[in-house]
Amino acid sequence: MNLKDRLIIALDLPTTEDAQRAVDAIGDEGTFYKVGYQLMPIGGLDLARRLSNRGKKVFLDFKFHDIGATVERGVASVAKLGGDFLTVHAEPDVLKGAVEGRGDDARLKILAVTVLTSLDQESLAKMGIDMALPDLVLKRAEFAAEAGADGVVASAKEAAAIKARFGDALKIVTPGVRPAGADANDQKRVVTPADAIAAGADHLVVGRPIIAAKNPQIAARDIQQEIAAAVAN
Ligand code: C5P
Protein backbone atom coordinates (compact mmCIF):
# COMPACT_ATOMS: atom_id res chain seq x y z
CA MET A 1 0.00 0.00 0.00
CA ASN A 2 1.18 3.53 -0.82
CA LEU A 3 1.95 5.05 2.59
CA LYS A 4 0.07 8.25 1.78
CA ASP A 5 -3.10 6.24 1.05
CA ARG A 6 -3.34 5.50 4.77
CA LEU A 7 -4.77 8.99 5.24
CA ILE A 8 -8.30 9.41 3.90
CA ILE A 9 -9.41 13.03 3.88
CA ALA A 10 -13.16 13.55 4.40
CA LEU A 11 -14.51 16.19 2.00
CA ASP A 12 -17.35 17.22 4.33
CA LEU A 13 -17.98 20.54 2.64
CA PRO A 14 -21.18 22.26 1.47
CA THR A 15 -20.46 22.32 -2.27
CA THR A 16 -18.33 20.44 -4.78
CA GLU A 17 -16.57 23.72 -5.60
CA ASP A 18 -15.47 23.97 -1.95
CA ALA A 19 -14.41 20.32 -2.08
CA GLN A 20 -12.41 20.83 -5.28
CA ARG A 21 -10.71 23.88 -3.77
CA ALA A 22 -9.74 21.79 -0.73
CA VAL A 23 -8.31 19.04 -2.95
CA ASP A 24 -6.32 21.62 -4.96
CA ALA A 25 -5.00 23.24 -1.77
CA ILE A 26 -3.93 19.89 -0.29
CA GLY A 27 -2.11 18.91 -3.50
CA ASP A 28 0.20 15.90 -3.31
CA GLU A 29 -0.34 15.47 0.45
CA GLY A 30 -3.80 14.01 -0.28
CA THR A 31 -4.13 10.81 -2.31
CA PHE A 32 -7.38 9.38 -0.89
CA TYR A 33 -10.65 11.30 -0.44
CA LYS A 34 -13.95 10.45 1.19
CA VAL A 35 -17.08 11.77 -0.52
CA GLY A 36 -20.24 11.41 1.53
CA TYR A 37 -23.91 11.88 0.75
CA GLN A 38 -23.83 15.56 1.70
CA LEU A 39 -22.30 16.11 -1.75
CA MET A 40 -23.93 13.25 -3.67
CA PRO A 41 -27.15 15.00 -4.77
CA ILE A 42 -25.27 18.18 -5.70
CA GLY A 43 -22.51 16.99 -8.00
CA GLY A 44 -20.65 14.63 -5.68
CA LEU A 45 -20.66 11.77 -8.16
CA ASP A 46 -19.02 13.93 -10.84
CA LEU A 47 -16.51 15.09 -8.25
CA ALA A 48 -15.77 11.45 -7.36
CA ARG A 49 -15.30 10.60 -11.04
CA ARG A 50 -13.05 13.64 -11.56
CA LEU A 51 -10.89 12.76 -8.57
CA SER A 52 -10.64 9.21 -9.77
CA ASN A 53 -9.64 10.31 -13.29
CA ARG A 54 -6.91 12.45 -11.76
CA GLY A 55 -5.40 9.46 -10.01
CA LYS A 56 -6.87 9.99 -6.54
CA LYS A 57 -8.46 7.16 -4.59
CA VAL A 58 -12.09 7.62 -3.66
CA PHE A 59 -14.05 6.42 -0.62
CA LEU A 60 -17.79 6.56 -1.30
CA ASP A 61 -19.42 6.77 2.11
CA PHE A 62 -22.99 5.76 1.18
CA LYS A 63 -23.68 3.48 4.16
CA PHE A 64 -26.21 1.37 2.23
CA HIS A 65 -28.80 -0.41 4.35
CA ASP A 66 -31.66 -2.14 2.51
CA ILE A 67 -32.87 -5.55 1.39
CA GLY A 68 -30.04 -7.57 -0.12
CA ALA A 69 -31.36 -7.48 -3.71
CA THR A 70 -31.59 -3.68 -3.70
CA VAL A 71 -28.13 -3.31 -2.18
CA GLU A 72 -26.78 -5.68 -4.84
CA ARG A 73 -28.17 -3.54 -7.67
CA GLY A 74 -27.02 -0.32 -6.02
CA VAL A 75 -23.48 -1.60 -5.52
CA ALA A 76 -23.34 -2.88 -9.11
CA SER A 77 -24.11 0.69 -10.25
CA VAL A 78 -21.53 2.16 -7.87
CA ALA A 79 -18.89 -0.23 -9.24
CA LYS A 80 -19.31 1.43 -12.66
CA LEU A 81 -18.39 4.78 -11.13
CA GLY A 82 -14.84 3.75 -10.32
CA GLY A 83 -14.47 4.10 -6.55
CA ASP A 84 -12.10 2.35 -4.16
CA PHE A 85 -14.07 1.98 -0.90
CA LEU A 86 -17.84 1.79 -0.37
CA THR A 87 -19.61 1.51 2.99
CA VAL A 88 -22.66 -0.62 3.80
CA HIS A 89 -24.14 -1.52 7.17
CA ALA A 90 -22.93 -4.76 8.72
CA GLU A 91 -25.96 -7.04 8.39
CA PRO A 92 -25.52 -10.44 6.73
CA ASP A 93 -28.04 -9.86 3.88
CA VAL A 94 -26.79 -6.35 3.19
CA LEU A 95 -23.19 -7.57 3.07
CA LYS A 96 -24.05 -10.54 0.87
CA GLY A 97 -25.87 -8.26 -1.58
CA ALA A 98 -22.98 -5.80 -1.59
CA VAL A 99 -20.35 -8.46 -2.26
CA GLU A 100 -22.48 -9.94 -5.07
CA GLY A 101 -23.13 -6.49 -6.56
CA ARG A 102 -19.42 -5.70 -6.57
CA GLY A 103 -18.87 -8.96 -8.49
CA ASP A 104 -15.33 -9.37 -9.77
CA ASP A 105 -14.56 -5.64 -9.80
CA ALA A 106 -10.96 -5.66 -8.63
CA ARG A 107 -10.99 -2.07 -7.47
CA LEU A 108 -14.06 -1.52 -5.31
CA LYS A 109 -13.67 -2.69 -1.70
CA ILE A 110 -16.71 -3.21 0.50
CA LEU A 111 -16.45 -1.83 4.04
CA ALA A 112 -18.91 -2.72 6.77
CA VAL A 113 -19.97 -0.08 9.26
CA THR A 114 -19.92 -2.01 12.54
CA VAL A 115 -21.43 0.23 15.26
CA LEU A 116 -21.55 3.98 14.66
CA THR A 117 -19.26 5.84 17.04
CA SER A 118 -22.17 8.11 17.94
CA LEU A 119 -23.85 5.13 19.67
CA ASP A 120 -23.09 3.92 23.19
CA GLN A 121 -24.40 1.07 25.32
CA GLU A 122 -27.41 3.13 26.36
CA SER A 123 -28.39 3.89 22.76
CA LEU A 124 -28.12 0.19 21.94
CA ALA A 125 -30.44 -0.63 24.89
CA LYS A 126 -32.99 1.87 23.53
CA MET A 127 -32.91 -0.02 20.23
CA GLY A 128 -33.52 -3.31 22.03
CA ILE A 129 -29.96 -4.59 21.73
CA ASP A 130 -28.55 -5.91 25.01
CA MET A 131 -25.22 -7.23 23.76
CA ALA A 132 -22.09 -5.48 25.07
CA LEU A 133 -20.97 -2.93 22.48
CA PRO A 134 -17.45 -4.35 21.93
CA ASP A 135 -18.96 -7.83 21.40
CA LEU A 136 -21.46 -6.42 18.91
CA VAL A 137 -18.63 -4.77 16.99
CA LEU A 138 -16.80 -8.11 16.80
CA LYS A 139 -19.98 -9.95 15.81
CA ARG A 140 -20.59 -7.51 12.98
CA ALA A 141 -16.94 -7.72 11.91
CA GLU A 142 -17.49 -11.48 11.76
CA PHE A 143 -20.52 -10.96 9.47
CA ALA A 144 -18.26 -8.86 7.23
CA ALA A 145 -15.55 -11.52 7.10
CA GLU A 146 -18.06 -14.33 6.50
CA ALA A 147 -19.70 -12.43 3.63
CA GLY A 148 -16.35 -11.79 1.96
CA ALA A 149 -16.32 -8.03 2.57
CA ASP A 150 -12.94 -6.33 2.58
CA GLY A 151 -12.95 -4.37 5.79
CA VAL A 152 -14.75 -2.51 8.52
CA VAL A 153 -15.18 1.03 9.75
CA ALA A 154 -14.46 1.00 13.48
CA SER A 155 -13.12 3.28 16.17
CA ALA A 156 -9.51 2.96 17.26
CA LYS A 157 -10.85 1.65 20.55
CA GLU A 158 -12.11 -1.47 18.79
CA ALA A 159 -9.33 -1.78 16.22
CA ALA A 160 -6.98 -3.91 18.33
CA ALA A 161 -9.62 -6.57 19.07
CA ILE A 162 -10.63 -6.71 15.39
CA LYS A 163 -6.99 -6.98 14.29
CA ALA A 164 -6.37 -9.73 16.87
CA ARG A 165 -9.37 -11.75 15.65
CA PHE A 166 -9.23 -11.20 11.89
CA GLY A 167 -5.62 -10.18 11.15
CA ASP A 168 -5.20 -8.98 7.58
CA ALA A 169 -8.51 -10.51 6.43
CA LEU A 170 -10.28 -7.23 7.22
CA LYS A 171 -8.97 -3.73 6.60
CA ILE A 172 -9.70 -1.38 9.47
CA VAL A 173 -10.73 2.17 8.60
CA THR A 174 -10.85 4.49 11.60
CA PRO A 175 -12.49 7.92 12.01
CA GLY A 176 -12.37 10.05 15.16
CA VAL A 177 -8.70 10.92 14.71
CA ARG A 178 -7.19 14.16 15.98
CA PRO A 179 -3.56 15.31 16.05
CA ALA A 180 -2.45 16.16 19.60
CA GLY A 181 -3.87 19.54 20.62
CA ALA A 182 -6.45 19.73 17.79
CA ASP A 183 -10.12 20.59 18.41
CA ALA A 184 -12.15 17.38 18.93
CA ASN A 185 -15.26 19.08 17.42
CA ASP A 186 -18.23 16.75 18.05
CA GLN A 187 -16.13 13.56 18.16
CA LYS A 188 -16.46 11.94 21.57
CA ARG A 189 -13.57 9.49 21.65
CA VAL A 190 -10.63 10.84 19.72
CA VAL A 191 -7.17 9.32 19.30
CA THR A 192 -4.01 10.67 17.69
CA PRO A 193 -2.92 9.38 14.27
CA ALA A 194 0.01 7.55 15.90
CA ASP A 195 -2.25 5.83 18.43
CA ALA A 196 -4.75 4.79 15.75
CA ILE A 197 -1.96 3.18 13.70
CA ALA A 198 -0.56 1.50 16.82
CA ALA A 199 -4.06 0.12 17.54
CA GLY A 200 -4.07 -1.58 14.13
CA ALA A 201 -5.92 0.89 11.88
CA ASP A 202 -5.00 0.52 8.21
CA HIS A 203 -6.55 3.83 7.13
CA LEU A 204 -7.45 6.96 9.13
CA VAL A 205 -10.36 9.18 8.13
CA VAL A 206 -9.71 12.82 8.99
CA GLY A 207 -11.97 15.72 8.04
CA ARG A 208 -12.08 19.02 9.88
CA PRO A 209 -8.49 19.09 11.20
CA ILE A 210 -7.45 19.30 7.52
CA ILE A 211 -10.29 20.85 5.53
CA ALA A 212 -10.96 23.57 8.14
CA ALA A 213 -7.26 24.31 8.74
CA LYS A 214 -5.81 27.68 7.77
CA ASN A 215 -3.37 25.78 5.57
CA PRO A 216 -4.87 22.39 4.63
CA GLN A 217 -1.70 21.26 2.88
CA ILE A 218 0.45 21.76 5.99
CA ALA A 219 -2.21 20.11 8.17
CA ALA A 220 -2.30 17.09 5.83
CA ARG A 221 1.50 16.95 5.61
CA ASP A 222 1.86 16.95 9.40
CA ILE A 223 -0.58 14.04 9.73
CA GLN A 224 1.14 12.17 6.87
CA GLN A 225 4.44 12.56 8.73
CA GLU A 226 2.93 11.33 11.99
CA ILE A 227 1.48 8.29 10.20
CA ALA A 228 4.78 7.54 8.47
CA ALA A 229 6.65 7.71 11.80
CA ALA A 230 4.07 5.44 13.49
CA VAL A 231 4.20 2.88 10.66
CA ALA A 232 8.03 2.83 10.86
CA ASN A 233 7.89 2.10 14.61
O1 C5P B 1 -14.15 16.05 10.70
P1 C5P B 1 -13.92 14.67 11.23
O2 C5P B 1 -12.46 14.27 11.21
O3 C5P B 1 -14.59 14.45 12.55
O4 C5P B 1 -14.65 13.73 10.16
C1 C5P B 1 -14.72 12.34 10.31
C2 C5P B 1 -15.47 11.74 9.17
O5 C5P B 1 -15.66 10.35 9.44
C3 C5P B 1 -16.87 12.32 8.93
O6 C5P B 1 -17.09 12.29 7.52
C4 C5P B 1 -17.79 11.37 9.65
O7 C5P B 1 -19.06 11.29 9.04
C5 C5P B 1 -17.05 10.04 9.45
N1 C5P B 1 -17.39 9.03 10.44
C6 C5P B 1 -17.21 9.20 11.81
N2 C5P B 1 -17.56 8.21 12.69
C7 C5P B 1 -18.05 7.06 12.23
C8 C5P B 1 -18.24 6.87 10.86
C9 C5P B 1 -17.89 7.88 9.99
O8 C5P B 1 -16.74 10.24 12.23
N3 C5P B 1 -18.33 6.09 13.07
Side-chain angles (χ1 to χ4, degrees), residues 10 12 34 61 63 115-118 153 175-178 184-187 205-209:
D12 294 331
K34 180 168 93 75
D61 196 9
K63 295 192 174 71
V115 177
L116 294 170
T117 46
S118 52
V153 181
V177 176
R178 291 290 178 270
N185 309 110
D186 54 358
Q187 294 283 10
V205 180
V206 183
R208 287 161 291 184

Side-chain angles (χ1 to χ4, degrees), residues 62-138:
F62 285 14
K63 295 192 174 71
F64 284 162
H65 193 181
D66 208 322
I67 59 169
T70 301
V71 172
E72 180 179 342
R73 289 193 294 266
V75 174
S77 294
V78 171
K80 294 191 188 118
L81 184 70
D84 295 275
F85 286 176
L86 169 68
T87 43
V88 304
H89 280 273
E91 279 177 25
D93 283 352
V94 173
L95 286 158
K96 189 164 169 276
V99 169
E100 274 165 17
R102 182 262 310 273
D104 55 10
D105 187 297
R107 179 170 173 192
L108 189 67
K109 307 281 181 247
I110 305 294
L111 300 183
V113 178
T114 53
V115 177
L116 294 170
T117 46
S118 52
L119 299 178
D120 56 16
Q121 197 66 54
E122 202 181 322
S123 356
L124 292 183
K126 271 193 198 143
M127 295 190 284
I129 301 170
D130 60 8
M131 188 178 251
L133 197 151
D135 294 341
L136 184 60
V137 170
L138 280 177

Side-chain angles (χ1 to χ4, degrees), residues 170-206:
L170 291 176
K171 284 181 194 303
I172 304 175
V173 178
T174 298
V177 176
R178 291 290 178 270
D183 191 338
N185 309 110
D186 54 358
Q187 294 283 10
K188 299 214 166 55
R189 293 174 290 152
V190 298
V191 297
T192 64
D195 287 345
I197 294 287
D202 295 292
H203 296 269
L204 315 185
V205 180
V206 183

